[in-house]
């Protein structure tokens, strides 16, 4: 069954008693037992809640995994996965990833004895060289944030199997609608479901999907023990958003392609990052492995003064953090999403004082282009 159909029907079968086509919100902390030593399958909402379970089963189906897990945020999801590792373990990580993930790794989990090496995960040879005897996992972003480099998920998964390490893919930018890393050999996918999956900038959520049932049991033990689970209301909102994932992303990708093509010829844009453009170094690879190129566009302007102008003079675009919603957002990575990364590292990676990032929404594409055009001229 097509992913678009699966997404639209998440939770449809859940309430067999009433036939409700929308899964109910089970807004309860605890569940009554039918008898001594008996359970309905639900005891306490940290351990399991029907609304959350509908979401978890839904994302597992979309990603082709054994089991899904819903968390209070994308960072909570990544945190829970890090409990798979212990003191002395080493992870190889995408170098230009979301700044909050870097902060989690370097400022929090490093104090528990985990070590991290940051490499260009679009370079298979660099990843191979970075793997050590103590390496336990490779953590990659399928499309990096904000420079939109493309990882060869299939080749990296083969390398991970060869080396006996887990392959974890943050697939937030592409979602299972466009890319299914587990089909390409990855072990775990993780999402900030706040973004494209929920899709309306009205809830914060994180999801993870595990391919192997035994590994999934370990992840559930950590989810239940730590308790950073997604509440039933936010689970329902995420399900609601996922039902329209395909139509939203189709429109967003179409808009992104038009905007990227326009920016690519603009005299005040010196560089553009969008894998849908044929000249992008990852274009051919993503065309083979994915169903589309996503709706994120990053670009460098020719001078620093243009940054403030575009952030503050656009009227349809909103100057805001986050991404993936129906509204188009414009972000300044150096001062917002990646501010926690040391400046010398940002400069080396290309996250500089003239880089802007667009999360393209579902508005009329010409309206978005006109808005950017008037801001450039303001």
């Amino acid at each position: 069954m097509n992913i678009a159909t699966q997404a639209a029907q998440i939770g449809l079968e859940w309430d067999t008693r009433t036939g409700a086509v929308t899964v109910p919100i089970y807004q309860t902390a605890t569940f009554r037992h039918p008898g001594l030593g008996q359970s309905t399958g639900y005891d306490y909402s940290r351990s399991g809640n029907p609304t959350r379970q509908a979401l978890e089963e839904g994302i597992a189906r979309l990603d082709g995994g054994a089991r899904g897990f819903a968390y209070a945020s994308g960072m909570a999801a990544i945190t829970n996965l890090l409990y798979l590792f212990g003191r002395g373990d080493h992870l190889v990580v995408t170098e230009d990833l979301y700044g909050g993930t870097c902060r989690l790794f370097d400022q929090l989990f490093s104090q528990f004895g985990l070590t991290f090496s940051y490499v260009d995960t679009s370079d298979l040879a660099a990843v191979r060289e970075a793997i050590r005897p103590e390496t336990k996992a490779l953590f990659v972003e399928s499309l990096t944030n904000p420079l939109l480099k493309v990882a060869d998920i299939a080749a990296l998964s083969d390398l991970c199997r060869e080396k006996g390490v887990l392959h974890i893919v943050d697939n937030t930018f592409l979602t299972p609608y466009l890319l299914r890393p587990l089909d390409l050999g990855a072990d775990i996918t993780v999402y900030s479901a706040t973004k494209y999956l929920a899709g309306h900038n009205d809830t914060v959520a994180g999801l993870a999907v595990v391919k192997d049932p035994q590994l999934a049991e370990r992840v559930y033990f950590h989810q239940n023990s730590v308790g950073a689970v997604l509440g039933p209301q936010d689970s329902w909102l995420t399900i609601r958003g996922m039902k329209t994932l395909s139509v939203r992303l189709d429109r967003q990708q179409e808009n992104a392609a038009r905007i990227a093509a326009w920016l690519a010829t603009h005299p005040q844009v010196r560089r553009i990052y969008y894998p849908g453009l044929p000249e992008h170094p990852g274009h051919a690879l993503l065309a083979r492995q994915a169903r589309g190129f996503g709706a994120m566009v990053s670009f460098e302007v020719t001078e620093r003064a243009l940054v403030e102008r575009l952030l503050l003079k656009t009227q349809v675009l909103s100057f805001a953090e986050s991404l993936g919603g129906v509204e188009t957002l414009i972000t300044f990575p150096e001062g917002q999403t990646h501010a926690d990364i040391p400046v010398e590292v940002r400069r080396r990676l290309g996250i500089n004082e003239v880089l802007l990032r667009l999360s393209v929404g579902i508005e009329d594409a010409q309206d978005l282009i006109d808005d950017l055009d008037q801001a450039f001229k303001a």
Side-chain angles (χ1 to χ4, degrees):
M1 187 182 295
N2 189 279
I3 289 178
T5 304
Q6 292 178 340
Q9 298 208 345
I10 291 175
L12 182 65
E13 77 291 350
W14 194 260
D15 192 343
T16 57
R17 186 176 65 86
T18 69
V21 296
T22 300
V23 62
I25 302 172
Y26 290 85
Q27 192 67 54
T28 183
T30 191
F31 301 84
R32 188 171 59 188
H33 298 300
L36 186 62
Q38 299 177 17
S39 172
T40 61
Y42 302 99
D43 303 307
Y44 186 60
S45 273
R46 171 171 49 79
S47 303
N49 177 281
T51 314
R52 190 175 86 233
Q53 185 178 341
L55 170 60
E56 291 175 334
E57 290 179 355
I59 189 62
R61 283 197 300 271
L62 295 190
D63 246 332
R67 192 164 178 177
F69 303 91
Y71 300 91
S73 68
M75 298 313 304
I78 294 172
T79 296
N80 224 249
L81 295 178
L82 290 178
Y83 290 125
L84 292 169
F85 312 107
R87 180 171 295 276
D89 289 345
H90 171 253
L91 285 79
V92 177
V93 180
T94 295
E95 63 179 0
D96 60 315
L97 82 171
Y98 170 54
T101 308
C102 289
R103 180 178 60 222
L104 179 72
F105 291 170
D106 292 342
Q107 297 184 38
L108 290 177
F109 274 87
S110 60
Q111 67 183 319
F112 303 122
L114 297 186
T115 58
F116 305 89
S117 293
Y118 294 88
V119 301
D120 180 356
T121 49
S122 67
D123 183 343
L124 185 64
V127 175
R128 178 181 290 275
E129 186 176 348
I131 293 176
R132 310 172 186 168
E134 66 270 24
T135 302
K136 294 296 187 292
L138 169 66
F139 184 98
V140 307
E141 290 181 343
S142 52
L143 272 184
T144 64
N145 181 7
L147 298 178
L148 302 175
K149 291 184 178 179
V150 179
D152 189 335
I153 302 300
L156 290 171
S157 296
D158 288 342
L159 176 61
C160 287
R161 280 194 297 273
E162 175 192 333
K163 297 295 185 179
V165 302
L166 286 176
H167 189 192
I168 303 170
V169 179
D170 184 333
N171 196 35
T172 295
F173 277 18
L174 292 175
T175 82
Y177 178 62
L178 299 179
L179 179 72
R180 299 216 318 175
L182 301 187
D183 288 350
L184 299 174
D187 299 295
I188 300 173
T189 51
V190 63
Y191 300 93
S192 174
T194 309
K195 313 304 194 292
Y196 289 103
L197 290 170
H200 291 79
N201 289 321
D202 58 6
T203 189
V204 175
L207 296 173
V209 180
V210 182
K211 187 174 185 178
D212 177 71
Q214 289 185 315
L215 181 59
E217 284 298 319
R218 292 177 60 197
V219 172
Y220 174 70
F221 175 80
H222 296 143
Q223 182 197 40
N224 185 42
S225 299
V226 175
V229 295
L230 192 63
Q233 175 73 30
D234 286 331
S235 294
W236 185 89
L237 285 169
T238 306
I239 292 171
R240 184 202 61 176
M242 288 168 63
K243 287 176 177 289
T244 60
L245 175 64
S246 62
V247 291
R248 286 186 286 103
L249 262 174
D250 285 345
R251 176 62 173 266
Q252 287 168 299
Q253 287 190 107
E254 178 185 337
N255 285 353
R258 286 189 58 185
I259 292 169
W262 180 79
L263 287 169
T265 62
H266 198 285
Q268 291 172 295
V269 174
R270 74 182 190 189
R271 187 169 184 178
I272 186 164
Y273 303 87
Y274 179 63
L277 295 174
E279 59 268 27
H280 187 282
H283 176 83
L285 172 60
L286 200 57
R288 289 197 307 271
Q289 293 195 349
R291 298 179 57 194
F293 301 102
M296 300 298 299
V297 179
S298 295
F299 62 100
E300 294 179 5
V301 291
T302 53
E303 56 179 318
R304 179 64 174 80
L306 287 169
V307 170
E308 186 169 353
R309 191 186 306 171
L310 290 170
L311 292 176
L312 300 182
K313 297 294 185 180
T314 45
Q315 299 168 5
V316 181
L317 284 69
S318 295
F319 173 29
E321 298 195 30
S322 197
L323 58 101
V326 295
E327 305 89 357
T328 298
L329 305 181
I330 185 167
T331 300
F332 180 45
E334 185 188 58
Q336 292 179 278
T337 56
H338 292 69
D340 284 319
I341 297 176
V343 62
E344 64 276 9
V345 176
R346 294 200 304 265
R347 291 292 180 270
R348 178 177 62 81
L349 295 176
I351 303 170
N352 56 42
E353 74 284 353
V354 292
L355 179 71
L356 292 165
R357 189 192 73 185
L358 296 179
S359 169
V360 181
I362 67 170
E363 304 95 341
D364 180 81
Q366 191 59 51
D367 286 341
L368 296 171
I369 290 170
D370 289 346
D371 191 36
L372 285 165
D373 189 44
Q374 66 81 24
F376 270 114
K377 295 174 179 177

